[in-house]
Amino acid sequence: MRTDTSFGVSINLSISHFKRPYLFRAPILAETLDPKIKLSIPLARAASNMMPAGGALITLSFLGAQRSTPNYNVMGLAKASLEASVRYLAVSMGKDGHRVNAISAGPIKTLAASGVKNFRKMLSYNATRSPLGRNITTREVGDTASFLTSDMASGISGEVIYVDGGFNITAMGSIEETEK
């Protein structure tokens, strides 16, 4: 692993959750979504200045960017926009040797997650329906970030890497569970 000329930067911005996003007018939605995109581009630019020889930028996402997720609401819109910015930043920064990727993590017990309604139920649901049959750990997300910032991932850019125990590939979970 090359450590002298490249390093990674993680960009993660949070915005508030709204109960029913369709009730909000465009200016309120824009006020909520804008920081995610407006800040990600200048942060990426600043990070690239710190890595003149190239490097890796990583942000965090969630499956709610791709699919409707209970209690995620406006944050899903913001994460979808963030994932799109990963692709466009990867194209615009790639020529300078910068890789831009996202990690879409499954639910993890964190201080931030404690504010999500029914989070314990979400953890239980995920554990019983993911192919690995368990939830993921912060260590697994960190290991993925380490990989993405290493030379082992030198050919990966513009991607969303799922670290969710395989939950994102399932449509229904186990049919056997319904017979209990």
Side-chain angles (χ1 to χ4, degrees):
M1 176 166 62
R2 190 178 75 212
T3 57
D4 56 331
T5 59
S6 69
F7 63 94
V9 176
S10 174
I11 300 171
N12 188 32
L13 307 169
S14 295
I15 61 172
S16 60
H17 299 257
F18 290 117
K19 298 257 188 237
R20 297 188 292 180
Y22 57 86
L23 293 179
F24 290 91
R25 293 176 303 189
I28 295 171
L29 283 175
E31 198 174 288
T32 303
L33 297 175
D34 259 7
K36 199 66 138 171
I37 298 308
K38 277 188 177 173
L39 289 175
S40 66
I41 294 168
L43 283 172
R45 189 173 296 127
S48 71
N49 290 335
M50 296 183 330
M51 303 182 288
L57 287 86
I58 303 167
T59 190
L60 295 173
S61 193
F62 183 65
L63 187 60
Q66 300 293 323
R67 297 188 181 94
S68 173
T69 305
N71 303 317
Y72 208 55
N73 304 316
V74 172
M75 194 63 173
L77 301 174
K79 292 293 189 177
S81 186
L82 182 66
E83 287 184 10
S85 74
V86 164
R87 292 184 290 275
Y88 283 92
L89 284 169
V91 170
S92 66
M93 298 177 75
K95 295 175 218 77
D96 298 322
H98 297 97
R99 296 174 283 118
V100 183
N101 292 292
I103 296 172
S104 182
I108 303 174
K109 281 187 192 179
T110 63
L111 184 59
S114 65
V116 177
K117 184 180 176 187
N118 295 319
F119 186 72
R120 286 190 180 138
K121 288 181 182 179
M122 185 186 295
L123 280 171
S124 175
Y125 185 88
N126 189 77
T128 60
R129 285 167 180 78
S130 72
L132 292 182
R134 64 173 176 80
N135 286 307
I136 59 154
T137 65
T138 53
R139 174 72 189 248
E140 290 168 318
V141 175
D143 288 347
T144 304
S146 292
F147 165 70
L148 287 172
T149 59
S150 76
D151 286 346
M152 292 183 288
S154 62
I156 301 172
S157 192
E159 296 294 334
V160 176
I161 308 294
Y162 288 91
V163 182
D164 63 359
F167 183 83
N168 74 91
I169 66 166
T170 64
M172 228 195 247
S174 174
I175 301 249
E176 288 78 29
E177 291 175 19
T178 61
E179 296 172 4
K180 292 180 182 176

